[in-house]
Amino acid sequence: MKSPRLPSTFALVTAAAAAGCAVPVQPARMSHEAPSTARELDAGERLARPRCNANWGLLWPGVGQLCHRKDTEGWVLAALTGAEVATAITTAAVHEGDSIEHPGVFLPLLGLQNLWLYSASDVIIDEHLALRRLYAPQDTLAELAYAPWNPEVLKRPDVWAGVLVATGLAVGLTLLTEDVGFRAPPDRPFGFHPLEAYPALGVIGAATFTHVAIGEEATFRGLVQSSIARRAGHTTGWLAGTLIFGAAHAPNALFFDEGDRVEYLLISLPFITAVGAWFGASYVWNDYSLAPPVAAHFWYDLLVSASVFFLHPDVDEIGATLTLPF
């Protein structure tokens, strides 16, 4: 007899969000003796009869999920990918000569990168769930998207206190390493009325950092850290995941002027690695649920970006301040 299909998590989380309710944080399997969870049973049933080879998902985010019969997540990822690609191409065509540096091109491509990271990582994590492997995160995409607003996640000290401390340190380092100071924002930021400019920037920032937080945490915590911890223990998994997270950000130096690259590698990169250590520790403390590190990652990025705006209010285009030094 087939096990009952899980109800639409997206519908449940949407209803919870509308009502301001907390969604429970989903712990991973922490021992081999633990009974199978509903999500492990669902993954096992779906992967026993896949539609196609999930490796096709490497070509377009969401295809792997459709192959694994995760229809809602698959169509959402595929549609978002189409929107990011269309936005980047259209903006590049309209603003010839600005290339990737234009926010209307760079930000969709950043979103596309993180959609690809999440999609590829989630396919493997789904296989780990079907095999009942230790520390495979059981969070759905909807739960991760809601995590930054979920009271059950935000009440945890490693999230709210960590965000305050890390944001304060990042802003302090910016003030120490750059000749900037807090100034009043312009009367017409980005050339728009404040009632138009600030909500637009907030929406752009929230969308961008939702992509980044979910994509990076699914990859570096959900896949890398859990896989290493499964073989070598919690501490080794946390340490290795942290170092790999830091190393993956080293190529960002190429986006800086040549004179600023050394400062990035000597100051910013170690700080980014330390922030990754906090995300990894939160992941372990919360029984390998991705929701807390996703929420922490989101709010850290968003608050630092907002602080950078007040440090550099004289920017010309919406979204230009979303490039973070830390």
Side-chain angles (χ1 to χ4, degrees):
M1 180 177 179
K2 293 183 178 180
S3 60
R5 177 68 60 190
L6 291 177
S8 172
T9 306
F10 274 84
L12 292 176
V13 173
T14 301
C21 298
V23 174
V25 173
Q26 301 295 328
R29 169 178 292 275
M30 301 302 291
S31 71
H32 293 291
E33 294 75 24
S36 296
T37 67
R39 297 183 184 194
E40 290 173 333
L41 293 171
D42 177 66
E45 179 186 346
R46 287 186 289 98
L47 269 65
R49 48 187 184 88
R51 289 194 180 101
C52 51
N53 190 323
N55 289 334
W56 288 109
L58 296 175
L59 300 178
W60 193 273
V63 173
Q65 282 68 27
L66 292 172
C67 288
H68 279 187
R69 299 182 178 274
K70 295 175 71 173
D71 292 342
T72 303
E73 292 194 4
W75 287 117
V76 167
L77 291 169
L80 285 173
T81 299
E84 302 288 14
V85 171
T87 301
I89 292 175
T90 301
T91 305
V94 172
H95 297 273
E96 293 184 19
D98 289 336
S99 67
I100 194 175
E101 295 182 359
H102 191 283
V105 178
F106 174 77
L107 294 179
L109 291 180
L110 178 63
L112 177 62
Q113 169 188 290
N114 283 281
L115 287 172
W116 187 90
L117 282 176
Y118 175 79
S119 180
S121 299
D122 178 65
V123 164
I124 300 173
I125 291 170
D126 201 32
E127 294 170 354
H128 291 173
L129 285 176
L131 295 171
R132 278 62 162 181
R133 289 189 174 173
L134 296 178
Y135 320 137
Q138 306 209 16
D139 316 84
T140 66
L141 177 59
E143 288 167 344
L144 296 181
Y146 182 51
W149 317 97
N150 185 354
E152 179 63 30
V153 174
L154 295 177
K155 73 180 184 181
R156 298 171 186 243
D158 52 293
V159 176
W160 66 263
V163 168
L164 293 177
V165 171
T167 301
L169 289 174
V171 173
L173 284 172
T174 301
L175 292 170
L176 288 174
T177 57
E178 299 183 29
D179 184 19
V180 295
F182 283 98
R183 293 167 285 178
D187 294 333
R188 292 185 63 81
F190 317 110
F192 295 92
H193 189 281
L195 292 179
E196 301 168 350
Y198 294 139
L201 182 60
V203 170
I204 291 170
T208 298
F209 296 132
T210 297
H211 281 64
V212 172
I214 294 176
E216 292 193 357
E217 293 309 306
T219 301
F220 295 106
R221 254 57 69 179
L223 181 58
V224 174
Q225 183 173 335
S226 285
S227 296
I228 298 173
R230 203 173 291 131
R231 294 174 173 81
H234 301 295
T235 301
T236 301
W238 167 74
L239 181 59
T242 296
L243 294 176
I244 293 171
F245 176 80
H249 286 76
N252 289 350
L254 299 175
F255 291 96
F256 290 85
D257 294 333
E258 188 173 350
D260 295 328
R261 289 176 184 171
V262 172
E263 181 178 286
Y264 173 80
L265 292 172
L266 294 181
I267 299 177
S268 297
L269 187 59
F271 186 83
I272 290 171
T273 305
V275 170
W278 157 43
F279 296 151
S282 178
Y283 184 48
V284 176
W285 293 335
N286 290 283
D287 291 338
Y288 291 83
S289 168
L290 284 172
V294 163
H297 197 149
F298 171 88
W299 284 112
Y300 167 78
D301 280 355
L302 189 64
L303 291 176
V304 171
S305 178
S307 300
V308 170
F309 168 72
F310 286 103
L311 293 171
H312 301 278
D314 50 345
V315 294
D316 296 323
E317 299 183 75
I318 282 285
T321 56
L322 294 180
T323 300
L324 302 177
F326 297 105

